[in-house]
Amino acid sequence: MLVRVYEKLLEREIHKVPKHIVVVTDSMGEGFLRLARWCRKFGVDEITICGNFQLDSFFFEGFRVRVITNEGVEVKDGSKPTINILTFTGREEIINVVKKIAKLVEKGEFNVEDVDEKLFEKFLTIKSPPDIIIKAGNDIPDFLIWQSIYAEIYFADIDWQNLRYVDFLRILREYQRRERRYGR
């Protein structure tokens, strides 16, 4: 009963939510399905789950799911938020983009002088920059390196299998408390 009252108080405090949340994990569980539902409730547009795990795209039934591997992207239609499941590191992504651009330069479709940030970003698998990266543990995550340059990083002591609504609300509250400077 007391937890429900606390959750209602936290809900009233939330006025600013991230558009794109990234979660770095080593395992998947029911907590991520609950996270997706809560993100839908608060209007989060996109969730990216990064890690080394196997997942059936039907796990997130009813959501728009993009399973992104080095071999390509598998898309399953559904409603928002979009859930990206990313199984390769940021370093691997940057190397893949460089190889794609190099092949196009070699074919004569671009000149070396044409290669800039804008062109590079066209080849990224996830284009939208995350607002917050949630990581259990103390290691700096090696995912979405290019896109996450201005993201807030939230280190949490969370058991993703048993993620609670109150944990999610605390993350949102912490996000809105931070002053986003975007490198300034």
Side-chain angles (χ1 to χ4, degrees):
M1 175 72 172
L2 203 51
V3 172
R4 298 267 186 253
V5 171
Y6 181 54
E7 288 173 350
K8 291 295 178 194
L9 288 171
L10 283 173
E11 281 178 345
R12 284 190 220 140
E13 285 184 36
I14 307 302
H15 303 291
K16 181 176 103 178
V17 296
K19 291 180 191 255
H20 185 181
I21 295 175
V22 172
V23 175
V24 179
T25 184
D26 289 331
S27 63
M28 287 295 295
E30 287 296 316
F32 288 104
L33 193 52
R34 290 190 298 274
L35 174 72
R37 290 181 186 132
W38 299 329
C39 284
R40 178 182 280 165
K41 176 181 177 177
F42 280 88
V44 174
D45 292 331
E46 192 171 7
I47 307 164
T48 300
I49 302 171
C50 305
N52 299 318
F53 49 81
Q54 294 293 319
L55 181 68
D56 184 347
S57 63
F58 293 103
F59 183 80
F60 291 106
E61 192 64 42
F63 291 92
R64 183 172 192 267
V65 179
R66 296 174 65 226
V67 179
I68 305 164
T69 64
N70 278 323
E71 288 76 45
V73 179
E74 174 192 334
V75 179
K76 188 177 124 229
D77 280 336
S79 60
K80 284 194 172 191
T82 298
I83 300 170
N84 302 306
I85 300 167
L86 186 64
T87 61
F88 55 85
T89 68
R91 291 177 188 192
E92 290 173 300
E93 180 181 34
I94 289 172
I95 289 169
N96 290 339
V97 169
V98 169
K99 286 179 181 178
K100 288 176 187 175
I101 292 173
K103 285 179 184 175
L104 293 172
V105 167
E106 191 176 69
K107 287 181 181 179
E109 294 184 34
F110 296 110
N111 292 321
V112 173
E113 295 78 26
D114 297 333
V115 179
D116 59 9
E117 287 183 25
K118 213 172 204 173
L119 179 67
F120 188 90
E121 288 172 352
K122 285 182 182 180
F123 291 92
L124 294 170
T125 51
I126 295 177
K127 310 245 187 289
S128 60
D131 297 304
I132 186 168
I133 300 170
I134 305 166
K135 170 75 171 85
N138 295 324
D139 299 331
I140 300 293
D142 179 20
F143 293 94
L144 301 177
I145 295 170
W146 185 274
Q147 300 90 323
S148 63
I149 190 71
Y150 298 121
E152 297 295 321
I153 300 177
Y154 181 86
F155 293 100
D157 185 18
I158 293 177
D159 174 8
W160 290 109
Q161 187 70 14
N162 300 308
L163 182 68
R164 302 172 305 165
Y165 185 53
V166 70
D167 298 323
F168 174 72
L169 292 172
R170 287 176 178 155
I171 291 167
L172 292 182
R173 180 181 63 185
E174 176 61 27
Y175 170 77
Q176 79 177 9
R177 286 181 175 172
R178 295 187 182 185
E179 182 183 341
R180 311 259 342 254
R181 295 177 175 220
Y182 301 99
R184 288 174 271 154

PDB file of all heavy atoms in Angstrom, residues 92-93 115 135 142 148 177 180:
ATOM      1  N   GLU A  92      32.153  -1.929 -33.413  1.00  0.00           N
ATOM      2  CA  GLU A  92      31.791  -2.725 -34.584  1.00  0.00           C
ATOM      3  C   GLU A  92      30.922  -1.915 -35.549  1.00  0.00           C
ATOM      4  O   GLU A  92      31.101  -1.984 -36.764  1.00  0.00           O
ATOM      5  CB  GLU A  92      31.036  -3.992 -34.164  1.00  0.00           C
ATOM      6  CG  GLU A  92      31.898  -5.021 -33.465  1.00  0.00           C
ATOM      7  CD  GLU A  92      31.086  -6.169 -32.918  1.00  0.00           C
ATOM      8  OE1 GLU A  92      30.195  -5.937 -32.067  1.00  0.00           O
ATOM      9  OE2 GLU A  92      31.346  -7.315 -33.349  1.00  0.00           O
ATOM     10  N   GLU A  93      29.994  -1.129 -35.004  1.00  0.00           N
ATOM     11  CA  GLU A  93      29.127  -0.314 -35.847  1.00  0.00           C
ATOM     12  C   GLU A  93      29.945   0.709 -36.639  1.00  0.00           C
ATOM     13  O   GLU A  93      29.731   0.892 -37.844  1.00  0.00           O
ATOM     14  CB  GLU A  93      28.071   0.400 -35.008  1.00  0.00           C
ATOM     15  CG  GLU A  93      27.153   1.255 -35.845  1.00  0.00           C
ATOM     16  CD  GLU A  93      26.099   1.991 -35.051  1.00  0.00           C
ATOM     17  OE1 GLU A  93      26.373   2.394 -33.901  1.00  0.00           O
ATOM     18  OE2 GLU A  93      25.000   2.168 -35.595  1.00  0.00           O
ATOM     19  N   VAL A 115      32.951  12.813 -47.736  1.00  0.00           N
ATOM     20  CA  VAL A 115      32.724  12.113 -46.470  1.00  0.00           C
ATOM     21  C   VAL A 115      32.794  13.116 -45.325  1.00  0.00           C
ATOM     22  O   VAL A 115      33.818  13.750 -45.090  1.00  0.00           O
ATOM     23  CB  VAL A 115      33.739  10.970 -46.262  1.00  0.00           C
ATOM     24  CG1 VAL A 115      33.495  10.273 -44.932  1.00  0.00           C
ATOM     25  CG2 VAL A 115      33.676   9.988 -47.423  1.00  0.00           C
ATOM     26  N   LYS A 135      22.659   1.729 -17.289  1.00  0.00           N
ATOM     27  CA  LYS A 135      23.623   0.635 -17.237  1.00  0.00           C
ATOM     28  C   LYS A 135      23.703   0.099 -15.820  1.00  0.00           C
ATOM     29  O   LYS A 135      23.911   0.856 -14.878  1.00  0.00           O
ATOM     30  CB  LYS A 135      24.997   1.158 -17.685  1.00  0.00           C
ATOM     31  CG  LYS A 135      26.159   0.222 -17.469  1.00  0.00           C
ATOM     32  CD  LYS A 135      26.165  -0.897 -18.470  1.00  0.00           C
ATOM     33  CE  LYS A 135      27.413  -1.729 -18.419  1.00  0.00           C
ATOM     34  NZ  LYS A 135      27.413  -2.781 -17.441  1.00  0.00           N
ATOM     35  N   ASP A 142      29.840   0.267 -24.294  1.00  0.00           N
ATOM     36  CA  ASP A 142      30.451   0.374 -25.615  1.00  0.00           C
ATOM     37  C   ASP A 142      29.391   0.115 -26.688  1.00  0.00           C
ATOM     38  O   ASP A 142      29.541  -0.739 -27.540  1.00  0.00           O
ATOM     39  CB  ASP A 142      31.595  -0.630 -25.735  1.00  0.00           C
ATOM     40  CG  ASP A 142      32.259  -0.602 -27.103  1.00  0.00           C
ATOM     41  OD1 ASP A 142      32.112   0.399 -27.827  1.00  0.00           O
ATOM     42  OD2 ASP A 142      32.903  -1.602 -27.470  1.00  0.00           O
ATOM     43  N   SER A 148      25.620   8.510 -28.898  1.00  0.00           N
ATOM     44  CA  SER A 148      25.396   8.802 -27.478  1.00  0.00           C
ATOM     45  C   SER A 148      26.353   9.834 -26.883  1.00  0.00           C
ATOM     46  O   SER A 148      26.465   9.940 -25.664  1.00  0.00           O
ATOM     47  CB  SER A 148      25.475   7.509 -26.668  1.00  0.00           C
ATOM     48  OG  SER A 148      26.766   6.956 -26.755  1.00  0.00           O
ATOM     49  N   ARG A 177      15.930  15.783 -13.578  1.00  0.00           N
ATOM     50  CA  ARG A 177      16.700  16.651 -12.678  1.00  0.00           C
ATOM     51  C   ARG A 177      18.006  17.124 -13.299  1.00  0.00           C
ATOM     52  O   ARG A 177      18.574  18.121 -12.873  1.00  0.00           O
ATOM     53  CB  ARG A 177      17.022  15.915 -11.374  1.00  0.00           C
ATOM     54  CG  ARG A 177      15.850  15.773 -10.458  1.00  0.00           C
ATOM     55  CD  ARG A 177      16.260  15.057  -9.196  1.00  0.00           C
ATOM     56  NE  ARG A 177      15.158  15.004  -8.241  1.00  0.00           N
ATOM     57  CZ  ARG A 177      15.181  14.316  -7.126  1.00  0.00           C
ATOM     58  NH1 ARG A 177      16.255  13.605  -6.806  1.00  0.00           N
ATOM     59  NH2 ARG A 177      14.150  14.323  -6.323  1.00  0.00           N
ATOM     60  N   ARG A 180      20.796  19.282 -19.128  1.00  0.00           N
ATOM     61  CA  ARG A 180      21.399  18.836 -20.382  1.00  0.00           C
ATOM     62  C   ARG A 180      22.105  20.006 -21.036  1.00  0.00           C
ATOM     63  O   ARG A 180      21.495  21.005 -21.350  1.00  0.00           O
ATOM     64  CB  ARG A 180      20.340  18.262 -21.321  1.00  0.00           C
ATOM     65  CG  ARG A 180      19.428  17.257 -20.696  1.00  0.00           C
ATOM     66  CD  ARG A 180      19.644  15.788 -20.924  1.00  0.00           C
ATOM     67  NE  ARG A 180      20.431  15.310 -21.989  1.00  0.00           N
ATOM     68  CZ  ARG A 180      19.962  14.738 -23.090  1.00  0.00           C
ATOM     69  NH1 ARG A 180      18.696  14.628 -23.300  1.00  0.00           N
ATOM     70  NH2 ARG A 180      20.791  14.257 -23.987  1.00  0.00           N
TER      71      ARG A 180
END
